[in-house]
Amino acid sequence: MSDSPLTFTRRTALRAGLAAGAALAVAAPTSAATPGPRSPLLRTTGKTVAIFGGGMAGLSAAHELIERGYDVTVYEPAHLGGKARSLGVPGTAGPGRQDLPGEHGFRFFPGCYRNVPDTMSRIPFPGNPNGVLDNLVRVEGTVAGFENTAPIFLPVELGGVTQLTPQVIQNSIIGALRFIPDLPAHELAFFAKQMTMWFTSSTERRFGQWEYVTWEQIMRAEGKSPAYRKYLVNALTRITVAAKPQTSSARTIGTIGEALVLAGTGLVPEFSGGVDRILNRPTNAAWIDPWVAYLRSLGVRFVIGQGASALRLAGGRIESATVSGTGGTTTVTADHYICAMPVDRVVDLLSPAILDADPRLAGMRDLVTDWMVGIQYFLRRPTHMPEGHIAALGSPWALTALRQAPMWVGDFAATYGDGSVVECLSVDISDWDTPGLRYGRTAKECGAEEIATEVWAQLKTWLNTGTDWLRDEDIHSWHLDPGITWSADGIHNATPLLVNTVGSYDNRPEAHCAIPNLYFGGDHIRSHIDLATMEGANESGRAAANAVLDSADDPGSRATRFPLVDLPVFAGAKAVDADRFRAGLPHLLDL
């Protein structure tokens, strides 16, 4: 008889112990001053590094290594910045103006991010004492929209929290979510209790139990009201991390949920800057271009239009790499090789010889990716919505949005387009597999025009009750992420992101592997935030750089990997839970 997903016996605890023990290495912070442990494997003492991938992970690794005197070349097949980049919409600029600003999707920088802000503070920007970091602006509120119901403007931070205890956390969650319509009070209280259970769960239980159940299971969605299932379990999960609560690891969702709640209290010094921040101009102008320019000034070389297509293993180490793209195919040799590519491209490099050298890498083939892609609407009239993020809670395509023009420096109409566009409403589509309202089809079953029409229709249904915020006649044009393409065999997405399905932590690699001069970076690498985010990718680049330093026997300092906060106030409850978990007993609140 198999174990129920939420019933843990002594046998289950023993089986899960390996996962919990392996996870503790990631949970512990890495010192910036002390080199990591030496590997008994072959050493690689040279200092030339080839980085394949110029997204967040690749740029972060390049940053840490060039500052420590390494010879770094980054190979990027498409665009530096990866999914974090912005891009102009070609052909839309009028005289003296820039192209309208398009992007993969709007991004925000929660106060729980620590690695990304540290990197930003080390990138010079004219007039900014703290470099690119000073281009972040604080968001004070968000618009919550419901189907055919008047939208609500809410503060993003938890008000009135003066101390952090399990009871205060529980009460604060209840107070913050009272606005949800048709939600029974006892179910809201139950949700808050389950979140408190997460806050007081031990590391052993998080990695040994919660990793192996879904968020829907830990929140006991079965039998609850439609509002509980639609908003608390599904909508809050999808708009935050583009993850399906029916398949996502409860540990991953709980980790980011805890961090956001703590950031929202304003009481955690490490989570400074507010729960929600955005850039004050397009991402490339505010961050990526200054970053690339700074790295170039330090000596990093960028080869654009070329990506790794094969790795050659000889004598127990990587001897060379084949790169292909514009300009044909060439061979690259270096002392160290970092694969900072999306996981769906990394697996193509895992030859039988590489998997024989480190069989653990085969787990990457079982990781799952999903879609979260953006569309921008350029408007001739301001929407007059409050400044901040917009969440269409319960919308079929899990839409979130951001009014960008009011929070950007300068006059939008005078800077971009033909002068008639005054507003950019940037929208993220987080669910591509649920039928929409207008056509009754999923986003993956629609063409570009249909996607634009369907998204606009859902936004109007969720935001226009009692308002005239969104008017058809105000649309000047729209721009869908060019990574979405169509061919004879259907729709394609060039930029999927990892989703943390149940048990997927076991299949995710560390930055280093058994091959002493091969390393990995990207949102699929194990990290503290443990989610497909800029923060996780940035930390993975730091981890890859540290692995290079370890392999080279470098005596210098290591890049700091900033952990999430583990508050002492919960230590006693976690210690009790650790004992219960080892004894095969459930959490005290898991009733």
Side-chain angles (χ1 to χ4, degrees), residues 279-296:
L279 290 166
N280 62 2
R281 41 173 65 83
T283 309
N284 271 39
W287 180 19
I288 302 301
D289 291 345
W291 196 5
V292 171
Y294 177 61
L295 295 181
R296 277 200 172 106

Side-chain angles (χ1 to χ4, degrees), residues 467-479:
T467 79
D468 66 343
W469 286 342
L470 303 179
R471 305 189 310 180
D472 296 346
E473 60 269 28
D474 294 335
I475 299 177
H476 171 278
S477 55
W478 52 266
H479 173 259

Side-chain angles (χ1 to χ4, degrees), residues 1-16 208 212-213 217 584:
M1 180 177 177
S2 63
D3 295 321
S4 166
L6 288 175
T7 302
F8 269 64
T9 63
R10 292 179 185 271
R11 176 167 57 87
T12 310
L14 289 173
R15 183 189 67 206
Y212 301 101
V213 297
Q217 287 173 317

Side-chain angles (χ1 to χ4, degrees), residues 167 346 558:
Q167 189 60 51
V346 173
R558 293 331 191 228

Side-chain angles (χ1 to χ4, degrees), residues 56 75 146 148 172 211 259 273-274 338 363 405 471 512 538-539 574:
M56 181 58 53
Y75 298 85
F146 301 92
N148 298 316
S172 297
E211 171 64 20
I338 299 177
R471 305 189 310 180
H512 55 82
N538 182 291
E539 185 190 344
K574 289 181 178 180

Side-chain angles (χ1 to χ4, degrees), residues 46 63 102 122 195 317 349 372 424 435 487 555:
H63 193 149
R122 293 153 50 202
M195 283 297 299
R317 56 200 311 116
L349 302 180
M372 184 177 184
C424 174
S487 66

Side-chain angles (χ1 to χ4, degrees), residues 222-430:
E222 187 175 356
K224 296 290 194 301
S225 68
Y228 182 93
R229 289 182 276 111
K230 182 176 183 179
Y231 298 122
L232 290 185
V233 176
N234 198 302
L236 290 182
T237 304
R238 299 234 58 168
I239 67 171
T240 304
V241 297
K244 296 181 176 70
Q246 300 85 2
T247 58
S248 295
S249 156
R251 183 190 60 79
T252 294
I253 306 304
T255 297
I256 186 63
E258 176 183 17
L260 292 173
V261 169
L262 291 179
T265 67
L267 297 181
V268 180
E270 295 90 340
F271 291 171
S272 61
V275 68
D276 188 0
R277 295 166 293 182
I278 67 168
L279 290 166
N280 62 2
R281 41 173 65 83
T283 309
N284 271 39
W287 180 19
I288 302 301
D289 291 345
W291 196 5
V292 171
Y294 177 61
L295 295 181
R296 277 200 172 106
S297 75
L298 296 179
V300 175
R301 292 179 296 276
F302 292 95
V303 180
I304 309 302
Q306 293 278 310
S309 55
L311 298 172
R312 185 173 188 275
L313 185 71
R317 56 200 311 116
I318 301 299
E319 180 182 70
S320 64
T322 302
V323 297
S324 306
T326 57
T329 298
T330 59
T331 298
V332 170
T333 59
D335 299 312
H336 308 272
Y337 301 83
I338 299 177
C339 293
M341 306 152 61
V343 66
D344 57 310
R345 297 178 188 174
V346 173
V347 295
D348 293 336
L349 302 180
L350 301 180
S351 66
I354 289 175
L355 293 179
D356 284 344
D358 192 341
R360 296 171 300 174
L361 298 178
M364 281 193 277
R365 292 178 171 174
D366 295 323
L367 296 176
V368 177
T369 60
D370 207 340
W371 295 19
M372 184 177 184
V373 178
I375 184 172
Q376 290 79 52
Y377 295 89
F378 302 107
L379 308 176
R380 298 186 182 92
R381 186 197 72 146
T383 65
H384 301 300
M385 280 186 279
E387 293 182 10
H389 285 109
I390 303 146
L393 295 172
S395 54
W397 289 3
L399 303 178
T400 52
L402 177 68
R403 288 182 66 200
Q404 292 180 315
M407 305 193 76
W408 282 0
V409 297
D411 183 318
F412 191 94
T415 306
Y416 305 102
D418 59 9
S420 67
V421 175
V422 301
E423 178 89 270
C424 174
L425 184 65
S426 187
V427 186
D428 274 345
I429 306 168
S430 298

